[in-house]
Amino acid sequence: MPALVVVSHGSHLNPESSRPAHEHARRIRETGAFDTVRTAFWKEQPHFREALRTVSSEEVYLVPLFVSEGYFTEQVIPREFRLEDWDGWDSDGTSAVSATLSAADTGQTVHYCGPVGTHDAMSDVIVRRAESVTGNPDVGDGVGLAVVGHGTERNENSAKAVEYHADRIRARGRFDEVQALFMDEEPEVDDVTDYFASEDGEVRSASGHSSGRDPRDIVVVPLFIADGYHTQEDIPEDMGLTDDYRTGWGTPASVDGHRIWYSGAVGTESLLAEVVVERAVDAGADVGDTLEQLRERGDDAPITSERVSDRHG
Amino acid sequence: MEREPVAALREAAGEGVEYDGLTARLSDGNLHLVVEGAETTVDDDSPDVVPDAFVPYVTNWYYWRETAPQRPAERTFLRWLEGATDDADRATVPDRYDALVDGIARTWGELLITTMLTDEDQRRYQVRHIDDRDVPVSDLQTYDDPDDVDAIARRDDRDRYRPLRTAPTLRTGWVFPALEPDALVEVVGAFYPATIENWYREREGDLDVTHYREAAERQTGRYRSVSELPVEALEWAAEACCVDSQCLKRREWDEDGETELDVPRGEGVFPCREPCSLFVAAAREWTELEREGSRTFEFELTPSEKAQLDDLVDAVAEGRVEEIREADLDEGANRYRARYLRAKRFEDGELPATERGEDS
Ligand code: SF4
C-alpha cells in the first residue's frame, strides 16, 4: 500500500506554520487510504532529507503544501528528497500534475505531485473559507471577494496561482466581483477598498441579511498555507483593519465605509485535506471513497491557532 | 496456554524455527520443542498443554512473529528496548520475562520507555518524560494517540516554541501509559523524527553522514553563503548548537571526511547525520558576522563590572536568566544589577567606547 508524504515549509519561529500540515495529515490518516501518512519540513523535523526513510512503502505520493510552483517546489524539494532525473513538471506555472521519479535515498518510487495551491479544487477551498469566515453558506450576492497572495517573491508563479483562482471563481458568477490582490506588487492589498466600488441601491450583506443602502461588503481570503506574520500582522494592518495587529480587528471590520471579513490563511481550512488527496489521486493513487469521507467531514471548523501572541515571525 | 501461538508455531515448524533460544520442528507430524536444557513433544490432542518451562519461549516467538512490526528498524528498536538485540549480554527469554513483569525501562533522548508484559504475554509500552520517572500515572496527563505528540512536543515547560525536536527541552507532566508496538514507534518517531531509522542505519554500519562542507555546497538561495564559514567558526557553531546541553543527537558529521571538529560529539543514543536546518540558519548568521574583522575598543569598567559582563553572557548562553532570583544581587546577571550597570555606564542603550583601529 502506498504512503503519502505531506511536504511543508515549517518555521523556526512560528509554531503555527506546521499546524496545517499536521492537521491535514491527521485527517487523511484517519481515512486509512494510505499505509502511512507523514509530514516533512524544510525548517522542522523530519526534514525533507530524512522523511522518506521513515516510510516503508515502496511507492510514495509526495504532495507539497505550497501555494504555488516555484523555487521550493522546483528546486528545493526535488533536491532535498533526492528525486533522480527531475527536470520539471512541464507546466505553464499553474498546470503541474505529477512526475514519477526514483528517490536516491531509499529507492522508493515517488509520485511528485504539483502543489496544492494550484489545484482546481483550491478554488472551492477559497470559497469555503469565505463561507466560514462570514458564517454564511450562500455568501456571494452583493459581496466582493479578494484573493490575496504574496506577489513576486522569488518567482512570478506565486501571482499566477492567485490570479488563476480569482479568474475561476469570477467565472462562476457567485460573487459580485472577484479580485486578485498582492502584498508586494500591484494591485496591492493596501488599497483593497478601491477595487470594490460602493454601489447605490439594494445590496446584500455577507451575513445574508438584506441591508438596504450598505456599501459593498468584501471578503478577503489570503492564499497562504499557514497563519504567520504575513496573514496575522502585515495584511490586516495594510488593509487598515487595525492600526496594531496586537489589538486584533473586527470580523467584519469597517474600512472606508466597507465591511471587510478577513479570514485566516486558506491552508487552515479543513477542506484542504481533500485537495491533498486529490493531488495524489491525479497522480494515480487509488483511495477508494476517501474523498467522500473527507468531504462529509469537511464541514469541520478551520484549524484555529493556539494563541495569537505566537504569530510573530 | 492459548491455542493460537501453538498452532502458529506448529505451522511454522514445518520449515524449522530457531528463535531466541527456542528450536521447533515437526518430527513424525508432532511438534517438537527444544529450549536450553529441556525438550518436549506437544500432544496433538491437547495443543494447549505445553510444559511451563516452554511457554515463555513460545509466546515470545509468537509476539515477534505475529504482533511486532516487521520493519527491521522498528523491530530492532523494540528488541533493543527489552534487551533482546544480538548483543553479548542478551538475556534468556525466561530472565527477560521476569524483568518484563516489573517493566524494562530504557531512555531515548528525554523519553523513558518501559516495556511491560501483558497477561497474554504480549508487550505494552509506556512512554513518559525521564524527569517524571517517579510520578504516579494518575498525576500525569494521559494520552494514547500518536497524533497527540505534536501538541506535547511543540512547546517547552515554559510554553516556548521548540523549533528543534531533539533539544533537551521536552515538557513534563504527560504519559502514554500502555501503547501497542506500532503505536509506540509512531510516538517515538513523532517526538524524535527519524531517530529510530538513523540509529538502525548506524547499527548496521551504513549511516550516511553528510559533512558540513558538503551540506553547505548544496545550499541555494539565502543559505548559499554558509559554505564560506571558516573552520574555527564552525567549531564555535557546533559548540553553540550541537553539544548535549543543547541537542540530544550525537553529532556524527564533521567539517569534512578528513577534518574532525574538536567539539565533543555528545553521548546521545541516536546520531545526527548532517547539519540540521536550524544549524544551517545559524551558520548563515555567523557567516555574515564573521565577515567583520576584530577591532580594539577602549571603554571604562570597574573589575567587578567586567566580571558582571562575563556573568551576563554566561547566564544567557546557559539559559539561566529565568532562574536568577529577583533579589539575588550577588548574581551579575540579576536584572537590577544589569539595570544599574546600564544606568551608570550606558548612553542611549550603548556602552560608549573609543575604537582603536582595526586589528590585523
Ligand atoms: S546539527 Fe545535529 S547535533 Fe547539531 S543541533 Fe542540529 S540536530 Fe542537533
Side-chain angles (χ1 to χ4, degrees), chain A residues 11-12 15 19 22 26 29 38 42-45 49-50 53 56 71 79-80 306-307 310, chain B residues 71 147 150 154-155 159 161 163 165 186 197-198 201 208 210 218 220-221 223 273-274 277:
Chain A
S11 167
H12 294 151
R19 276 169 63 82
H22 285 295
R26 182 181 59 74
R29 198 175 290 130
R38 284 259 186 278
W42 174 233
K43 294 292 186 97
E44 298 177 37
Q45 303 95 47
R49 292 266 290 171
E50 298 188 339
R53 62 183 63 187
S56 53
Y71 174 67
R79 179 187 78 214
E80 299 290 297
E306 288 173 300
R307 65 206 80 191
D310 289 318
Chain B
R71 285 188 69 201
D147 276 329
D150 186 57
R154 196 192 294 270
R155 290 164 193 284
D159 224 26
Y161 174 52
R165 285 281 161 105
E186 287 293 320
E197 288 78 7
N198 287 330
R201 285 192 180 211
D208 51 328
T210 305
R218 211 176 69 230
T220 52
Y223 297 111
R273 43 167 294 283
E274 67 178 26
S277 75

Side-chain angles (χ1 to χ4, degrees), chain B residues 49-306:
Chain B
V49 181
V50 173
D52 284 352
F54 296 84
V55 170
Y57 287 96
V58 175
T59 57
N60 176 67
W61 170 82
Y62 188 67
Y63 175 75
W64 292 107
R65 160 112 173 177
E66 294 292 328
T67 312
Q70 298 300 316
R71 285 188 69 201
E74 296 170 356
R75 203 176 164 78
T76 306
F77 174 68
L78 292 172
R79 287 181 63 81
W80 175 83
L81 285 179
E82 63 176 69
T85 35
D86 294 322
D87 300 333
D89 58 352
R90 174 155 66 135
T92 65
V93 171
D95 287 349
R96 223 193 295 155
Y97 267 42
D98 285 346
L100 283 170
V101 170
D102 296 331
I104 298 178
R106 300 205 77 156
T107 54
W108 189 260
E110 289 182 287
L111 302 179
L112 182 71
I113 307 171
T114 308
T115 311
M116 300 161 298
L117 213 54
T118 68
D119 293 345
E120 294 86 39
D121 291 353
Q122 297 277 312
R123 271 64 158 177
R124 286 293 177 276
Y125 301 87
Q126 184 176 100
V127 185
R128 57 168 74 194
H129 194 292
I130 179 85
D131 292 348
D132 287 331
R133 66 167 81 69
D134 298 323
V135 180
V137 169
S138 54
D139 289 353
L140 298 169
Q141 179 92 34
T142 58
Y143 296 91
D144 58 12
D145 184 348
D147 276 329
D148 290 334
V149 170
D150 186 57
I152 300 169
R154 196 192 294 270
R155 290 164 193 284
D156 66 15
D157 268 332
R158 280 159 51 200
D159 224 26
R160 293 177 309 175
Y161 174 52
R162 300 172 67 234
L164 185 66
R165 285 281 161 105
T166 47
T169 53
L170 193 58
R171 71 164 40 163
T172 52
W174 49 269
V175 63
F176 289 80
L179 292 164
E180 299 201 8
D182 289 307
L184 182 269
V185 295
E186 287 293 320
V187 163
V188 173
F191 277 115
Y192 296 131
T195 54
I196 294 176
E197 288 78 7
N198 287 330
W199 167 86
Y200 177 70
R201 285 192 180 211
E202 186 178 48
R203 274 180 81 90
E204 296 294 299
D206 58 9
L207 183 70
D208 51 328
V209 173
T210 305
H211 295 292
Y212 182 79
R213 293 292 167 213
E214 195 190 327
E217 279 307 314
R218 211 176 69 230
Q219 305 300 322
T220 52
R222 62 197 306 261
Y223 297 111
R224 194 189 292 280
S225 67
V226 300
S227 58
E228 292 160 34
L229 190 70
V231 62
E232 64 274 18
L234 181 60
E235 290 273 6
W236 300 323
E239 188 174 328
C241 301
C242 301
V243 296
D244 282 348
S245 67
Q246 305 301 307
C247 178
L248 298 168
K249 283 189 184 178
R250 171 171 28 83
R251 182 181 53 78
E252 286 302 312
W253 55 266
D254 285 290
E255 183 184 17
D256 55 37
E258 277 83 55
T259 325
E260 289 192 11
L261 301 183
D262 295 332
V263 178
R265 297 186 182 283
E267 303 293 323
V269 57
F270 37 79
C272 174
R273 43 167 294 283
E274 67 178 26
C276 67
S277 75
L278 194 63
F279 188 90
V280 171
R284 173 179 176 270
E285 208 58 45
W286 287 314
T287 303
E288 298 305 320
L289 294 173
E290 286 299 329
R291 292 191 206 285
E292 273 177 39
S294 293
R295 318 275 171 86
T296 302
F297 293 97
E298 196 174 282
F299 44 75
E300 281 192 12
L301 294 174
T302 65
S304 299
E305 286 164 353
K306 159 72 177 63

